[in-house]
Amino acid sequence: MINKRIAVIGTPGKWSTDVLANHLEQHTGFRCVIDMSDVVLELETGKLRYGDVLLNELDGVVIKKISETYSPAADDRLRMLQSLEADGVRCFSSPSQISRLINRLEGTAALASGSVPLPPTRVTENTDEALNAIKAFGKAILKPLYSTKARGMVVLDATDGDTVNTQKLNAFKSEHGLFYLQKFVNLGGQDLGMVFLGGEYLCTYARVGDANAWNTTIRSGGKYQAFDASPELIELGRNAQSCFDLSFTTVDIALTDEGPVVFEVSAFGGFSGALKGCGIEAAEKLCDYVLSQLAAETAEASE
């Protein structure tokens, strides 16, 4: 047994949270799954408490999921966790780095600054400018700034005309405010999830879409398959994830007629795709990585 107290921040009862907590318990004898909705932050002391557990006294936390959905409230939870880092508790991944990916605009802006190829993208509050973007793209995906798995996304086609698209834009704006529009790209029925652990390439899986859905997400009927990525494609994924400093992540890549593009870098990454698509126990590998990092830090401190 390794004498470390490492908690998992996630959703109690969910497979990805529990499988990681199980692996950590097997190695350390300690199990703690933290639901952020029940965490208390004492601002005057910087202490975080979850029931009887004082998070500041842990050796580390692994942030598997911060919320079931992305929202400004999810970002607030990450800001609460930043006090742990300030108190010397190692977080996998850093809350400040995850926070950069909760908001779609901040995440893709970082990728664009890193010269990572993206679908053409326009961001505006102006309805007329949004209509101009739809006409320029021919077909566009309107995306909320806070969402995952294609939730809340709207397909807009220039051939539907200004009246129809204006109605859709106004309905979207009343709920989300800002227009984030990306050119609709032909996925060829699949997109890729490229998995990295500690910045090192692990595997690539494909999400093969259902014929009746415009996206390839698993919640829309997509299926995982193995994919043999070329060295050039792996380098693209490596460059994309290097825009952030994450312990574990998945880079979403599409192979389009005009070459590969990156949709996003995941704030948390998915264990299911690596397991079902590649046969790799990513949760176990992340556990091993976390323990090796903490062991190295302990050894360095004792020198």
Side-chain angles (χ1 to χ4, degrees):
M1 287 288 179
I2 299 171
N3 186 26
K4 295 290 183 184
R5 299 172 74 241
I6 306 164
V8 176
I9 294 176
T11 305
K14 284 296 182 77
W15 174 78
S16 60
T17 296
D18 285 346
V19 71
L20 181 57
N22 290 343
H23 283 300
L24 287 169
E25 184 180 16
Q26 288 171 10
H27 287 283
T28 68
F30 178 81
R31 182 187 179 90
C32 180
V33 174
I34 294 171
D35 184 342
M36 282 299 297
S37 65
D38 294 324
V39 171
V40 177
L41 168 63
E42 299 175 357
L43 278 175
E44 67 275 18
T45 64
K47 303 299 183 184
L48 271 79
R49 179 174 51 79
Y50 179 68
D52 295 332
V53 179
L54 186 61
L55 275 62
N56 307 68
E57 294 180 349
L58 297 172
D59 295 295
V61 297
V62 184
I63 307 174
K64 184 61 194 80
K65 188 173 283 292
I66 200 69
S67 172
E68 283 302 299
T69 58
Y70 286 5
S71 68
D75 201 30
D76 292 339
R77 291 180 174 184
L78 289 165
R79 294 181 188 281
M80 290 171 66
L81 289 174
Q82 288 179 11
S83 65
L84 287 184
E85 283 190 309
D87 215 14
V89 178
R90 182 68 187 277
C91 298
F92 303 88
S93 300
S94 167
S96 60
Q97 291 297 310
I98 295 174
S99 181
R100 298 173 64 201
L101 291 163
I102 291 293
N103 180 296
R104 176 169 278 109
L105 176 55
E106 183 171 359
T108 48
L111 292 171
S113 296
S115 300
V116 175
L118 305 166
T121 306
R122 301 290 181 270
V123 182
T124 183
E125 295 181 40
N126 186 285
T127 302
D128 289 336
E129 291 295 343
L131 287 170
N132 289 338
I134 296 167
K135 293 172 186 175
F137 294 160
K139 197 173 184 180
I141 308 296
L142 180 60
K143 301 182 177 184
L145 292 189
Y146 296 95
S147 75
T148 59
K149 298 179 173 59
R151 293 184 180 93
M153 296 184 185
V154 181
V155 179
L156 299 172
D157 196 318
T159 61
D160 290 337
D162 286 357
T163 300
V164 171
N165 284 329
T166 297
Q167 291 174 345
K168 292 180 178 179
L169 287 167
N170 287 340
F172 183 92
K173 188 173 185 177
S174 66
E175 183 176 358
H176 301 289
L178 196 69
F179 300 128
Y180 177 105
L181 291 146
Q182 278 193 330
K183 183 178 180 179
F184 188 99
V185 297
N186 181 15
L187 299 178
Q190 71 173 15
D191 70 345
L192 309 176
M194 189 172 289
V195 186
F196 289 86
L197 175 62
E200 297 301 319
Y201 174 72
L202 195 60
C203 66
T204 301
Y205 57 85
R207 284 176 293 250
V208 181
D210 182 284
N212 297 317
W214 65 265
N215 65 78
T216 63
T217 61
I218 303 306
R219 69 186 294 266
S220 296
K223 305 295 182 184
Y224 293 121
Q225 291 184 6
F227 185 88
D228 185 15
S230 67
E232 294 78 14
L233 199 60
I234 293 172
E235 190 60 24
L236 170 61
R238 193 187 309 279
N239 289 340
Q241 63 86 39
S242 70
C243 295
F244 312 92
D245 185 12
L246 300 166
S247 303
F248 180 79
T249 188
T250 301
V251 182
D252 289 347
I253 300 175
L255 303 178
T256 75
D257 297 336
E258 300 175 2
V261 295
V262 173
F263 282 135
E264 65 181 10
V265 174
S266 170
F268 307 101
F271 296 157
S272 187
L275 180 61
K276 295 178 181 178
C278 307
I280 291 177
E281 286 271 7
E284 184 175 5
K285 289 187 177 296
L286 176 56
C287 173
D288 292 342
Y289 172 80
V290 167
L291 293 172
S292 67
Q293 290 288 302
L294 291 175
E297 291 174 4
T298 300
E300 184 178 345
S302 62
E303 290 179 355

